[in-house]
């Protein structure tokens, strides 16, 4: 089961970064404290979607497995789709932590790119319970 989180972003006071708040719903009514996201080991991916009321537009993300070799290539960059969502692939056979930098721009025109602080995704959440056996 894919994990989805919603992000609302505003430019930082110095105009260089995106200050982000995270939510469990698109309407941004259920805040998620912090910026570490635990997903199920079998999730396979994690989605970040722009929340309602964001003053910046989510345009993409860069991510890397922590402890791995950093680099920018097609396997660790994801442009946002038409729904302003990005998908970060997560392994299902081992537990790892990925650092993510969400990329934002001003709405309607890319006049500046605002990187987020570095949220982390950890695929160490519990697996769902097995289905009940009919008796």
């Amino acid at each position: 089961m894919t994990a989805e989180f919603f992000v609302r972003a505003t430019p930082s006071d110095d105009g260089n970064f995106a200050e982000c708040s995270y939510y469990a719903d698109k309407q941004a009514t259920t805040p998620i404290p912090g910026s570490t996201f635990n997903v199920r080991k079998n999730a396979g991916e994690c989605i970040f979607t722009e929340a309602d009321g964001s003053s910046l537009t989510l345009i993409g993300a860069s991510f890397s497995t922590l402890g791995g070799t950093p680099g920018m290539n097609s396997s660790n960059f994801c442009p946002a789709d038409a729904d302003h969502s990005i998908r970060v692939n997560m392994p299902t056979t081992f537990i790892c932590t990925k650092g993510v930098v969400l990329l934002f721009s001003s709405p309607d025109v890319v006049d500046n790119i605002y990187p987020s602080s570095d949220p982390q995704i950890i695929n160490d959440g519990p697996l769902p319970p097995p289905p009940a056996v009919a008796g």
Side-chain angles (χ1 to χ4, degrees), residues 105-123:
S105 73
S106 300
D108 302 320
V109 61
V110 179
D111 60 354
N112 192 10
I113 294 179
Y114 302 90
S116 71
S117 59
D118 192 11
Q120 295 182 6
I121 307 165
I122 306 170
N123 64 337

Side-chain angles (χ1 to χ4, degrees), residues 60-113:
S62 178
F63 43 87
S64 182
T65 300
L66 298 184
T69 304
M72 182 68 105
N73 55 55
S74 61
S75 67
N76 66 356
F77 172 77
C78 177
D81 62 20
D83 295 325
H84 301 280
S85 296
I86 61 99
R87 295 174 180 271
V88 178
N89 290 327
M90 296 297 292
T92 57
T93 57
F94 61 93
I95 294 173
C96 79
T97 302
K98 287 196 179 184
V100 181
V101 176
L102 300 171
L103 303 172
F104 297 87
S105 73
S106 300
D108 302 320
V109 61
V110 179
D111 60 354
N112 192 10
I113 294 179

Side-chain angles (χ1 to χ4, degrees), residues 20-78:
C20 298
S21 300
Y22 300 95
Y23 300 88
D25 60 315
K26 183 158 178 58
Q27 297 76 28
T29 61
T30 308
I32 299 173
S35 60
T36 299
F37 302 93
N38 298 82
V39 301
R40 290 182 174 165
K41 185 177 175 186
N42 66 347
E45 68 179 356
C46 179
I47 301 172
F48 287 94
T49 299
E50 181 183 317
D52 294 346
S54 183
S55 62
L56 294 175
T57 299
L58 181 61
I59 60 170
S62 178
F63 43 87
S64 182
T65 300
L66 298 184
T69 304
M72 182 68 105
N73 55 55
S74 61
S75 67
N76 66 356
F77 172 77
C78 177

